[in-house]
Amino acid sequence: MADSENNIQDTLEDDFFLHEDPDDLEGDADDNFFELPILSCKSKAKSIEDYDGALKYVHKKEVLLEDVLKDHALHLLPAKALFRFKTVSRGWDQWISSPLFAHRQTTYFQNISGLFCQVADLNPSFISFDQDACGMPEPSLKFLPEPVYVRTSCKGLLCCQSVGEDIYYICNPVTKESKRLPKPTLYHGAEAAVVLVFEPHLLSFNESYDLVCAVTFPHHPVVYFEIYSSRSSSWRVSDTICCEFDSLELNNGGYYMKGVVYWESSSGFILAFDLRNEQYGILPLPANGGQNGNGTLTLNHGELCYILPHYQDSVCTIYIHGNMDMSLKSKINLTYYVGSTFGVCRALGFINDNILILALGTQIISYHVRKDKVELISTAEESARTTYVPYVNSLVSVRHPLIRDRGLIV
């Protein structure tokens, strides 16, 4: 043991030694701060204790837990929880209310917090996965100037369409901030398939979003693409026109991933639109996919996949398809009894990769794939006309995050 300690001391002496410069320790010294002694490979350390003694020269100011949480944890929390933390101190209130923090929280917190649910012409509601942390102040969206249909969302922003008119609203239902978009050039109606595209970046404060609409017309077998850009605050009809099939009825919901917008059709195909190059492509859907409206496109472990459930005899069989040919990748047999009121079996998508959300009858359940665990989330009215839109509880601003109402950069 003694030889081992001597070897350690010899190693330390060979590598570097502490050299105390008197000029650094005398004179104009701050009471709360002392510089570390100079490390020199030419100086000689007296003993191992000299290294332990160097600790007395480190910054003596205490780091408060409040400051650590403020700088390293708050931006990882959902918006509702942050509103409660404003009461901790005046400093926390000012920091959470600042546009810089809203931008940071929008970039880091992107977990799905719940589902906006709307049955036919009724007011929308919100199904929270954690009511204490991810609730909604006004889930019916009555802060908007007129009744709306919930259409699509992306990373904290929600897109709604007015009832009976081609008026779109982009809003953050957490902050009740909204923006009315100008009327599009083409007639959209309720049949237009819309997808909201929003990609926040930590080092880019020039945040912008796009609303991509695949527009079809009765007895006119083509698909037009009309795009709204917040950068120009205007609509533009793309020169690209899809005329691949005689009938291409698109489902209202779509999905965005890595620069490409996807829509599933009732004719057994997926229409893909490259937003940057404005080119389209066609992918196959699994057999029976898109016809009954019970399957969905979703993201799982960074890859686009299509989930198709089938319920029979209290067993829900979940087929997960992937790759460019949408071949079968895996199958899950989930035993779950929903009672005599069963009528609908729909996949609503994955959240956080390992949790699958399903609508079975009047019940919304979550299935944790790794833990093989089922939890009841909510009991709600369900029909074939029910719309579910996932939402992220975010502080994202509809306007530029660094500009206040009077146009002043802060």
Side-chain angles (χ1 to χ4, degrees), residues 126-139:
F126 186 72
I127 301 173
S128 176
F129 297 154
D130 187 343
Q131 189 62 40
D132 293 333
C134 304
M136 197 64 56
E138 197 167 347

Side-chain angles (χ1 to χ4, degrees), residues 40 75 93 131 137 158 172 201 222 239 245 253 261 333 347 370 378:
S40 173
H75 58 276
D93 182 21
Q131 189 62 40
L158 183 70
N172 182 342
H201 298 283
V222 296
D239 295 333
F245 305 98
V261 179
N333 291 320
R370 289 186 178 179
S378 174

Side-chain angles (χ1 to χ4, degrees), residues 231-272:
R231 292 178 291 273
S232 62
S233 297
S234 62
W235 291 91
R236 179 179 56 84
V237 179
S238 173
D239 295 333
T240 302
I241 301 175
C242 175
C243 51
E244 294 274 342
F245 305 98
D246 293 336
S247 177
L248 191 63
E249 183 180 349
L250 302 176
N251 296 340
N252 286 339
Y255 198 82
Y256 171 76
M257 185 186 75
K258 298 179 180 179
V260 181
V261 179
Y262 301 89
W263 296 277
E264 60 176 297
S265 72
S266 59
S267 54
F269 295 93
I270 298 174
L271 175 61

Side-chain angles (χ1 to χ4, degrees), residues 38 77 91 93 107 165 167 196 226 228 307 336 387 390:
I38 298 175
L77 299 177
D93 182 21
T107 305
E165 301 223 5
I167 301 296
L196 185 61
E226 188 166 14
Y228 173 84
I307 304 173
Y336 188 80
T387 300

Side-chain angles (χ1 to χ4, degrees), residues 212-234:
V212 186
C213 303
V215 184
T216 59
F217 299 98
H219 313 295
H220 193 47
V222 296
V223 179
Y224 296 92
F225 302 98
E226 188 166 14
I227 306 166
Y228 173 84
S229 173
S230 65
R231 292 178 291 273
S232 62
S233 297
S234 62

